[in-house]
Amino acid sequence: MAASVLELLLLAVTFRIAYVLDEAEFLRHIDAHMVFTAAVPERGMSCMSGTEIRTRVAPSPTGRPHIGTAYMALFNYAFAKSKGGKFVLRIEDTDRARSTRESEEAIYDALKWIGIPWDEGPDVGGPLGPYRQSERVDIYKKHCAYLVEKGHAYPCFCTAERLAELRKQQTEAKVPNPGYDGLCAGISKEEAVRRVAAGEQHVIRMKVPKEGECVFRDRIHGEVKIPWTKVDQQVLIKSDGYPTYHLAVVVDDHLMKITHVIRGEEWISSTPKHVLLYDYFGWQAPEFVHLPLLRNPDKSKLSKRKNPTSIVYYRDSGFLPEALVNYLGLMAYSMPDGKEIFSLSDMVASFDIGRISMGGPIFDLQKLTNFNGQYMRKMTPDQLLERARAWKVNEDTWRKIVPLAQPRLNRLSDLVPMSAFLFSDKVEYDPAALTSAEMDGNAAARLLKIAQWELERVAAWDRQAIQDVFSKVAEKENLKMKKLMAPFFVAMSGSAVSLPAFESMEILGRDMVVRRIQYALESLAAAGFELKGKRLQELESYYETTYR
C-alpha cells in the first residue's frame, strides 16, 4: 500500500485527516478502521460463507415511515430468522438537510407497531455499530481515502453551473447514456493538491470502466448484465464531507457483516456501482435479492398521490398490525400450503427465497381493508374490544375530545355524533361543500394542496404548529383565516360547522389529516377540478418559490 508524500498530502487535505508526512503513520491511521482481504473469494459464493446469516433494513429518517420500509423489513426479517440469523436496523441519515430525530423515532415506533423486532440498531446497540450513518462519517472518509490512493476515485472540482450546462448539452444532443464526462479524472495529482489546499470546493467521484459490462447474480432475477457505459462516475463524498448512499451502503454492509442484501428492484441499476466498490476494496460482495416493487392498482409505482404510504396512517385508521404484515407478505410470497392467512412466525418457519414471485404486486387499499375485516371477524368480542381500546376508543382520547365538544353539547347523545369524524378514515360530504361563492373548485384544490405540502413538513405535530401553517398560508395567499379554513372544516369533519379545526387536526394526527386532504382533492377532481399536468407543475413551481 505504498504512497508518495504528494499522494498522502492530497489525502490528508482532502479528507481533513491529521496532517502527517510519515507514510507508515498515515497508513496506520487509515487502516485503523479498515479490514481488507488478501484475496477476493469466488464471486458465486455467499459473503462470509458458512457464517451467520445477517440482513438489514436501512431507512432514511426524512419523512413519515414508509410502507415500503415495512415490506422490506418483513422479508429481511423472515429470511434471517428462517436461517437462525440476525436482522439489523440501520439509520441512513446522511441527508443533513432533511433527516430528523423525530422521523427516526417514528421509524422505531412504526416497526414496533407492526411487530418486526431487530437484533441490532441505534436504539438497542450491537457489536458492529454505530448504526446511525451520521456517526460513521470518519469511517467513510478513511475508506474513500483508500480508493483515492489506489487510483479508484478522484477529486472533482466541477461547479453546479458546469454540471447543469453539461446535462443541457447532453439532453439537446440526445446522448444515449448521459452522465458526468470525467473531466476532473484527468487532473494531475499536483494540481489536485494545489486546488484542494486552496480551499476549492470539490467532491470525490469513483472511476468506472469505459468498456465491457458488469455481471452479477441476483437470487430472484438470475444473471444480470449492465454495460459500464450506463453507469455514471458516482459521487462518493459530497462537498460537505458526507458520503453518498452508494459509498456508505457498501462500507456499512461489509463492516456490519451483512450476508444478504434484500432490497427493492429499483436498486438493480445501481448495483454495478456497488459491485465495483466491492471489487475496489477487495471484498466479497453479499448476495443480492431484489424484490418486486409495490404498485398502485394502475400498476404505477406506489406513491402517496394514489395510496397512503405512511405506516402511521394504517395504524391510525384502524388496521390491525398482523393483518398488514400478512398482506405485505402476500405481495411477493406464497406459502407452501397455499393459505393466505398466516402469521409472521408462520412465514418465518416456511420462508424460502425461491417462493418469492417476480410479478409487480398490487397494493390495493380496498383489498387490504377486506383482508383486515377477516382478521377482525375471527376475534372474540372481548378481543376486539381490547384492540379498540388500544387503538382510540379509550379514556385518553375522550379526555382530548370532551373539552372541545362540551361548549356545543345540549344532550349527552350529541357527543358521539359530534365527534364521530375523529374516529373515521374517510368522512362523507358533497364535493360542492368544499366550494363557495367566494372560492371555486380550482381555488379550493389549490389551497388544499399547498396546505398538504406544508403540513407534511411540520416537525412537531401540535396545535400551535398546525395553526402556524395556516397562518402562513393565509398570509402568503392574502386571505382571511375564516375564508381559508372553510374547505378544511369540510375536508376534516364532513361539515362546515364542527369542533375546533386545529385541535381536531391535532387529535387526528398528521397522517390522517394529510389523507383527509387527499380525499378532498380526489372529490374535487371527480367534480372536474383536478390538479394535474401543467396546472400541478405550475403550482409546484409557485410553492417552491413562495413557501420554501
Side-chain angles (χ1 to χ4, degrees):
M1 198 170 167
S4 67
V5 168
L6 181 61
E7 290 171 325
L8 296 174
L9 176 59
L10 170 61
L11 297 177
V13 175
T14 302
F15 298 105
R16 296 170 177 83
I17 297 172
Y19 186 96
V20 291
L21 293 181
D22 178 79
E23 180 174 347
E25 180 185 348
F26 182 80
L27 296 181
R28 280 197 302 273
H29 188 79
I30 294 178
D31 285 341
H33 291 278
M34 289 184 166
V35 180
F36 300 115
T37 57
V40 180
E42 183 183 348
R43 274 286 160 216
M45 294 173 59
S46 298
C47 178
M48 301 170 197
S49 180
T51 61
E52 179 182 61
I53 297 297
R54 291 173 62 84
T55 65
R56 50 75 175 170
V57 68
S60 298
T62 54
R64 309 302 288 160
H66 199 279
I67 195 68
T69 297
Y71 174 57
M72 293 301 159
L74 171 61
F75 279 82
N76 275 276
Y77 175 87
F79 176 69
K81 294 306 171 183
S82 72
K83 303 296 183 182
K86 294 288 196 301
F87 171 57
V88 178
L89 173 61
R90 188 169 70 224
I91 297 296
E92 297 191 344
D93 61 343
T94 54
D95 185 341
R96 294 197 289 174
R98 299 172 60 220
S99 295
T100 67
R101 284 299 173 90
E102 289 82 7
S103 291
E104 182 179 321
E105 290 297 327
I107 290 170
Y108 300 149
D109 291 344
L111 291 179
K112 288 175 183 176
W113 174 71
I114 62 174
I116 299 179
W118 49 98
D119 300 294
E120 301 170 25
D123 58 332
V124 298
L128 299 174
Y131 296 90
R132 191 179 288 115
Q133 285 189 338
S134 60
E135 298 172 1
R136 302 172 60 83
V137 174
D138 286 345
I139 297 173
Y140 308 131
K141 289 181 179 180
K142 290 162 186 173
H143 281 76
C144 201
Y146 171 84
L147 296 176
V148 173
E149 190 269 324
K150 287 294 186 180
H152 300 315
Y154 60 92
C156 174
F157 302 92
C158 290
T159 62
E161 291 74 20
R162 181 186 181 271
L163 295 175
E165 181 60 28
L166 177 63
R167 282 192 293 271
K168 180 181 176 183
Q169 292 173 2
Q170 292 177 339
T171 300
E172 292 174 350
K174 297 182 179 179
V175 175
N177 298 303
Y180 183 62
D181 59 2
L183 176 67
C184 292
I187 294 176
S188 68
K189 291 179 180 178
E190 290 83 0
E191 181 182 349
V193 167
R194 177 182 59 76
R195 294 172 71 170
V196 169
E200 187 171 348
Q201 191 174 66
H202 62 281
V203 300
I204 303 297
R205 290 183 182 272
M206 69 182 292
K207 288 185 178 179
V208 176
K210 296 180 180 179
E211 299 177 345
E213 60 186 9
C214 175
V215 181
F216 64 92
R217 187 159 193 82
D218 182 273
R219 284 286 292 273
I220 296 177
H221 299 267
E223 186 176 74
V224 180
K225 297 181 179 181
I226 299 177
W228 287 116
T229 54
K230 292 186 176 182
V231 181
D232 194 19
Q233 298 181 53
Q234 178 66 47
V235 172
L236 300 177
I237 296 287
K238 296 177 286 188
S239 59
D240 63 0
Y242 271 61
T244 60
Y245 167 83
H246 302 281
L247 174 65
V249 73
V250 168
V251 171
D252 288 346
D253 282 346
H254 177 76
L255 296 183
M256 294 180 186
K257 301 182 180 179
I258 301 303
T259 59
H260 294 74
V261 170
I262 303 174
R263 59 189 178 188
E265 62 188 359
E266 75 269 30
W267 292 108
I268 288 178
S269 62
S270 294
T271 302
K273 299 175 186 178
H274 306 161
V275 170
L276 188 59
L277 285 172
Y278 279 107
D279 284 341
Y280 284 164
F281 284 123
W283 296 337
Q284 172 61 41
E287 287 200 49
F288 295 106
V289 184
H290 289 94
L291 298 180
L293 294 178
L294 298 179
R295 299 192 176 277
N296 295 308
D298 64 2
K299 298 187 178 180
S300 61
K301 181 180 176 181
L302 189 69
S303 66
K304 61 186 177 183
R305 289 184 180 179
K306 298 180 180 180
N307 252 322
T309 58
S310 169
I311 300 173
V312 179
Y313 162 80
Y314 294 93
R315 181 194 69 192
D316 290 353
S317 62
F319 286 93
L320 301 173
E322 61 268 38
L324 179 59
V325 167
N326 190 166
Y327 188 71
L328 288 173
L330 287 172
M331 291 291 94
Y333 188 74
S334 60
M335 295 290 282
D337 59 5
K339 67 180 181 181
E340 290 195 339
I341 302 292
F342 53 83
S343 66
L344 179 57
S345 59
D346 291 337
M347 186 173 176
V348 168
S350 72
F351 195 80
D352 176 3
I353 284 181
R355 299 194 65 83
I356 295 177
S357 62
M358 291 181 62
I362 302 298
F363 189 89
D364 188 302
L365 185 58
Q366 186 56 54
K367 287 185 178 179
L368 171 59
T369 300
N370 295 338
F371 197 72
N372 194 70
Q374 293 182 51
Y375 266 83
M376 295 180 72
R377 285 187 288 276
K378 288 186 176 183
M379 293 179 173
T380 66
D382 285 345
Q383 289 173 332
L384 184 57
L385 180 58
E386 187 57 37
R387 289 301 190 94
R389 287 195 184 108
W391 174 62
K392 287 183 180 179
V393 187
N394 54 55
E395 188 171 344
D396 289 342
T397 304
W398 284 114
R399 285 186 181 279
K400 297 173 185 176
I401 296 173
V402 168
L404 306 180
Q406 189 171 5
R408 298 162 174 79
L409 294 176
N410 291 310
R411 293 181 295 179
L412 290 174
S413 58
D414 295 337
L415 178 59
V416 172
M418 190 179 294
S419 57
F421 73 95
L422 294 170
F423 298 89
S424 302
D425 171 40
K426 185 176 182 179
V427 291
E428 300 297 328
Y429 50 83
D430 186 332
L434 294 164
T435 66
S436 66
E438 298 178 315
M439 185 182 297
D440 66 13
N442 288 322
R446 183 176 178 277
L447 292 173
L448 285 163
K449 194 64 188 177
I450 289 173
Q452 186 183 54
W453 284 330
E454 282 291 288
L455 290 166
E456 286 175 341
R457 296 176 56 207
V458 171
W461 189 259
D462 56 40
R463 184 200 180 283
Q464 188 58 54
I466 298 165
Q467 182 175 338
D468 289 345
V469 164
F470 285 96
S471 295
K472 178 180 178 181
V473 174
E475 180 183 355
K476 297 286 186 183
E477 304 303 319
N478 194 29
L479 290 171
K480 297 286 187 181
M481 186 67 82
K482 183 177 180 180
K483 181 177 179 181
L484 168 65
M485 293 304 299
F488 291 93
F489 268 99
V490 176
M492 293 303 116
S493 68
S495 172
V497 180
S498 182
L499 301 182
F502 302 143
E503 289 84 348
S504 296
M505 290 184 190
E506 181 180 14
I507 293 171
L508 282 168
R510 182 205 315 265
D511 295 277
M512 291 299 295
V513 168
V514 168
R515 187 60 184 165
R516 294 271 175 98
I517 293 175
Q518 189 60 36
Y519 284 139
L521 287 167
E522 291 170 3
S523 294
L524 287 171
F529 304 105
E530 186 173 9
L531 269 175
K532 67 176 183 178
K534 186 177 179 181
R535 284 188 62 226
L536 181 58
Q537 291 176 0
E538 289 175 348
L539 182 59
E540 288 172 340
S541 178
Y542 168 79
Y543 175 74
E544 289 295 323
T545 302
T546 308
Y547 286 83
R548 300 298 292 269

